Amino acid sequence: GYGLIRISSTLNPHPPNLMFPIIILALWGILMTSSICLRQTDLKALIAYSSVSHMGLVAAAIIVQTPWGLTGAMTLMVAHGLTSSALFALANTNYERTHTRTLLLVRGLQLAFPLMSTWWLLTNLTNMAMPPTINLLGELFIISTLFNWSTPTIIITGMGTLITATYSLYMFLMTQRGSISTQFKLLPPTHTREHLNLTLHLLPLGLLIMKPALVSGLFT
């Protein structure tokens, strides 16, 4: 994202024949990678494709080259950097105990780790840009920028947001709900360092909404 901002600023104003296909590809990528998330069976692959989907929004906003777009891109990059890192940390805590990343096998962990299930819920709500996180602020800036650039983009960004909410809930329900597999007879407990790690990810996301200029003030 930083590289796109640096390169994109040298082409300002963009030639229309250069800007249009890149933004269309970025928006199409949002739908494609989000849809791929809905059919993933590997937990880490699902989280990785989720990051690609969010970066499609960032790329489109940067190419438009408006103050709102750049502000939204910066905000979403910081927000998703913390969110995606937290999701990978959660996936790793599951893998260390179950030694599998297959969603069909890793089910019902809420019964074994209720506190970790709370972290899963909060992180997935953050991933789908629920208030009061800065994820929502970044996405609103970007969606408004793209809508101002071309009205029909609201259809693609709206569908992308809906699919994001769908696969985030799918990820939570597949890992936490249901009956736990009988192959997991003895699961080691979670550690304080893991809860501290997740606190240091999610606490800034909650606090930054009180002063979002800390991450977006460069372009405001």
Side-chain angles (χ1 to χ4, degrees):
Y2 172 74
L4 283 173
I5 291 173
R6 292 298 299 270
I7 294 172
S8 182
S9 60
T10 63
L11 301 174
N12 194 21
H14 293 306
N17 58 346
L18 172 66
M19 180 170 67
F20 188 75
I22 294 177
I23 295 177
I24 292 301
L25 285 173
L27 293 173
W28 184 246
I30 294 169
L31 291 183
M32 288 298 98
T33 51
S34 296
S35 301
I36 289 172
C37 287
L38 293 174
R39 60 180 297 275
Q40 281 299 318
T41 58
D42 187 290
L43 180 56
K44 284 192 174 181
L46 195 162
I47 298 169
Y49 277 110
S50 168
S51 296
V52 177
S53 172
H54 282 89
M55 288 305 105
L57 276 174
V58 170
I62 291 171
I63 297 299
V64 173
Q65 278 289 295
T66 62
W68 271 42
L70 293 172
T71 297
M74 284 290 295
T75 305
L76 189 58
M77 279 193 291
V78 173
H80 188 68
L82 290 167
T83 305
S84 182
S85 179
L87 284 171
F88 276 115
L90 285 165
N92 186 62
T93 60
N94 282 9
Y95 182 76
E96 285 182 344
R97 288 158 179 81
T98 61
H99 304 290
T100 179
R101 298 198 303 261
T102 305
L103 288 169
L104 289 173
L105 297 177
V106 187
R107 302 196 66 178
L109 292 181
Q110 181 182 4
L111 296 173
F113 310 115
L115 182 54
M116 195 60 72
S117 182
T118 303
W119 290 122
W120 270 105
L121 177 62
L122 291 175
T123 310
N124 278 288
L125 290 176
T126 304
N127 193 50
M128 67 174 75
M130 291 290 284
T133 59
I134 57 171
N135 303 60
L136 176 65
L137 184 66
E139 288 195 13
L140 286 177
F141 270 117
I142 292 174
I143 292 172
S144 300
T145 298
L146 294 173
F147 180 74
N148 186 58
W149 175 73
S150 177
T151 306
T153 58
I154 194 69
I155 299 173
I156 299 177
T157 53
M159 288 179 62
T161 303
L162 180 62
I163 298 173
T164 300
T166 305
Y167 70 69
S168 295
L169 290 173
Y170 163 74
M171 178 164 47
F172 174 76
L173 293 174
M174 286 296 290
T175 56
Q176 304 303 309
R177 305 297 293 175
S179 56
I180 194 166
S181 175
T182 54
Q183 66 176 322
F184 304 129
K185 298 185 182 300
L186 183 62
L187 294 172
T190 56
H191 304 295
T192 303
R193 59 175 172 80
E194 294 170 330
H195 295 294
L196 176 61
N197 181 21
L198 292 164
T199 301
L200 294 176
H201 278 93
L202 295 181
L203 190 61
L205 288 171
L207 294 178
L208 279 172
I209 197 63
M210 301 173 68
K211 192 172 177 60
L214 291 174
V215 291
S216 63
L218 184 59
F219 302 109
T220 56

